[in-house]
Amino acid sequence: VISDHNLRMAPTRVCSSTFVREGTAGVQLLRCMRCRDTYYVSADAQRAHWKVHKKTCRDVAPGELEEIHSMDIQQTFMAIKDRLHGAPDALIAPLIRRLRANFGEEDSDDQHDNIAMNLHTLARGMIFSPGYCFEKLWGAPGMTELLLTGTENMLTERVKKRLAAGFPDGLPSVEFAQYELTGEARAAACKLLDSDDEDDEWE
């Protein structure tokens, strides 16, 4: 279950002005005291980014986080869609984190595929929209981490295991694993396939 802390805070911190990760060469990032979800290497870096960040910089109220936490996958997607079609705000990063949690909590493959396709269509529409302001989206609290490190932060444990076992494009079928694979690859695939049966695919 995702907590309010996880909806608000990113596990990997990145400077929104210079894109330096916390811990690089011992760097400790400073947090924006207003929104509490944007980080900088220095006060100068914060000042340089303020023109962009000030449009969405605000703290997210506990009640807003509770409302996001209660959303199902369809409600979360629609809230994200509304903001991306309109104006990104301080809730966009907590909503995206909530969508990641939805995928881990709900077990409908058809619904997952439908939401994934809708997200893909939405993203393509943004890319090819001549007037879309990505700068404002980038400046929203928490979005630097999601855009630069979102993949590593948001993978499910199941996907992490699959990648570690050497299956980046998905698991093979049971029949292929049994009759076509050999040695360590066969053992790893069979172990993951057995785990999928037990976990109903999503953690």
Side-chain angles (χ1 to χ4, degrees), residues 95-192:
L95 282 165
I96 292 174
R97 293 176 190 141
R98 177 58 190 158
L99 188 65
R100 156 61 180 84
N102 288 140
F103 274 94
E105 294 169 1
E106 302 178 25
D107 59 4
S108 170
D109 288 345
D110 290 340
Q111 189 175 35
H112 290 161
D113 291 344
N114 185 47
I115 294 293
M117 180 59 69
N118 287 337
L119 285 169
H120 179 75
T121 302
L122 178 62
R124 286 181 63 84
M126 291 163 52
I127 290 170
F128 294 109
S129 175
Y132 194 85
C133 183
F134 283 98
E135 186 179 68
K136 192 170 183 179
L137 178 63
W138 190 277
M143 284 305 296
T144 301
E145 287 80 11
L146 285 176
L147 291 170
L148 292 181
T149 68
T151 299
E152 63 195 61
N153 287 337
M154 300 174 77
L155 291 177
T156 63
E157 288 304 315
R158 172 181 175 272
V159 173
K160 290 177 183 178
K161 290 177 183 177
R162 176 167 57 74
L163 292 174
F167 299 103
D169 298 321
L171 288 178
S173 67
V174 174
E175 292 77 13
F176 188 88
Q178 289 178 340
Y179 300 113
E180 300 295 332
L181 295 180
T182 59
E184 292 182 3
R186 181 178 186 277
C190 289
K191 182 177 180 180
L192 288 172

